[in-house]
Each structure stands twice: as structure tokens, then as C-alpha cells.
């Protein structure tokens, strides 16, 4: 008959959960990565979801990870690419809309191609910035599409992801 008044230590009980398994050790090796920081467009003009400007305010999630000056310089480089390319895109969009009925929509293709080229230029710039500085700091910048908060439309945002640091275990 079982002794209900007896006190047992946890490690004496079978199946108490104190046994260390390989699966438990693999979870211990998995680093916890914070959520990515999202920087939305702050401009007054948007062409195909790409705003003409991003805000240079330093986010709190990057404190002690990157210098505010480096962050601001990167966003200023991104804004300079947008400043060069988006006015041309807007002019072609206007012309394409005016001629849309006559060309059955084909007059909008130059705008689509220019928008893709702008995205490609931004991705190349972010790739250069990542390899130059941010990968060394454990960060990865990228241009991503995200659904707008107020509607079902998509917008391009800057996403700053944290690269997990994987600990190196030495075999015993």
C-alpha cells in the first residue's frame, strides 16, 4: 500500500522531468531572437507601395547595438536613392494614366519596370550596408512588403532583423 504521508524528493520520482535529454539541450542552445524592427515610410508620396522617404528617428530597439549616427546615415542613403528615382516614376505614372485608355494599360509598364528598378537599387544598397557594417553588429536590413494597418493594401517597409548568435559547443 502506498505511503501517502511520505515526502519524496523530486529527483527520486520517476518521470519527474529532471532527466536531461538531448532535445532539452538543443532547446537550450537555441538563442532567443527579438522581433524585427519595422521602419515605415514617412513621405507624402507613394508609388506602388514605396514611399518617397523613411523617417530618420532612432528606434529604441537599436540602443546599444548601433550608433544613432550610423543608423541616420543609412536611412539618409536610402532616402537619397528614393529622392533620385521616385520623381521619375511619378512622371511616368502620370503619363501612363493619361494614355491608359488608348494603350489598353500597356502605358503603365514603364512605371512597373521603374518601380522594380528602384526596389532593386534599394536592395543593392542594403546589401552593401549589411556587408559593410550591420552583419558585424548582428543586424540585417531588408526591404519587405507588409500589409498597411488601415487597409488591405501593401506597402514597402524597412525591416531590421536580429541575427542570432549561435554558441559553439566543444565536445567533451
Amino acid at each position: 500500500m502506498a505511503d501517502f504521508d511520505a515526502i519524496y524528493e523530486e529527483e527520486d520520482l520517476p518521470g519527474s522531468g529532471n532527466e536531461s535529454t538531448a532535445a532539452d539541450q538543443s532547446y537550450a542552445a537555441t538563442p532567443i531572437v527579438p522581433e524585427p524592427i519595422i521602419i515605415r515610410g514617412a513621405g507624402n508620396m507613394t508609388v506602388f507601395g514605396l514611399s518617397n522617404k523613411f523617417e530618420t528617428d532612432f528606434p529604441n530597439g537599436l540602443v546599444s547595438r548601433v550608433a544613432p549616427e550610423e543608423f541616420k546615415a543609412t536611412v539618409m542613403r536610402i532616402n537619397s536613392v528614393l529622392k533620385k528615382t521616385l520623381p521619375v516614376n511619378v512622371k511616368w505614372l502620370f503619363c501612363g494614366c493619361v494614355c491608359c485608355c488608348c494603350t489598353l494599360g500597356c502605358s503603365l509598364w514603364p512605371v512597373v519596370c521603374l518601380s522594380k528598378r528602384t526596389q532593386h537599387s534599394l536592395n543593392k544598397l542594403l546589401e552593401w550596408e549589411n556587408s559593410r557594417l550591420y552583419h558585424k553588429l548582428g543586424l540585417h536590413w531588408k526591404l519587405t512588403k507588409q500589409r498597411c494597418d488601415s487597409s488591405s493594401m501593401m506597402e514597402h517597409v524597412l525591416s531590421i532583423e536580429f541575427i542570432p548568435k549561435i554558441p559553439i559547443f566543444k565536445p567533451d
Side-chain angles (χ1 to χ4, degrees):
M1 183 158 212
D3 189 11
F4 292 108
D5 294 334
I7 298 174
Y8 298 102
E9 289 187 36
E10 257 187 17
E11 51 196 48
D12 292 343
L13 296 174
S16 63
N18 286 340
E19 299 87 10
S20 179
T21 63
D24 293 338
Q25 291 173 355
S26 69
Y27 287 123
T30 305
I32 297 173
V33 179
E35 290 291 317
I37 296 172
I38 303 296
I39 302 172
R40 295 186 180 280
N44 56 359
M45 180 176 49
T46 303
V47 178
F48 290 116
L50 189 60
S51 181
N52 67 330
K53 179 179 150 184
F54 287 98
E55 198 61 47
T56 58
D57 292 340
F58 189 70
N60 290 335
L62 293 179
V63 172
S64 76
R65 292 191 182 262
V66 66
E69 297 82 18
E70 288 290 340
F71 173 82
K72 186 175 181 178
T74 300
V75 175
M76 293 301 287
R77 285 186 198 100
I78 292 168
N79 287 342
S80 70
V81 169
L82 292 172
K83 187 177 180 180
K84 290 177 194 171
T85 58
L86 279 182
V88 175
N89 293 6
V90 170
K91 290 175 187 172
W92 277 100
L93 180 62
F94 180 72
C95 292
C97 288
V98 168
C99 302
C100 187
C101 294
C102 299
T103 62
L104 300 174
C106 292
S107 58
L108 293 175
W109 275 109
V111 185
V112 172
C113 293
L114 286 172
S115 180
K116 294 278 187 193
R117 191 164 99 183
T118 302
Q119 292 172 31
H120 182 70
S121 298
L122 288 175
N123 285 328
K124 293 291 275 184
L125 172 67
L126 292 174
E127 183 180 310
W128 178 78
E129 289 282 342
N130 284 330
S131 65
R132 181 185 68 87
L133 174 69
Y134 291 106
H135 282 174
K136 297 171 190 169
L137 299 175
L139 300 171
H140 179 78
W141 287 58
K142 66 180 183 176
L143 185 69
T144 59
K145 282 186 179 180
Q146 187 177 33
R147 191 169 301 280
C148 293
D149 294 334
S150 60
S151 68
S152 63
M153 296 178 67
M154 300 293 278
E155 68 176 334
H156 289 277
V157 296
L158 292 174
S159 174
I160 305 172
E161 298 174 345
F162 297 94
I163 300 172
K165 295 182 179 174
I166 301 172
I168 300 173
F169 293 106
K170 294 180 181 177
D172 294 332

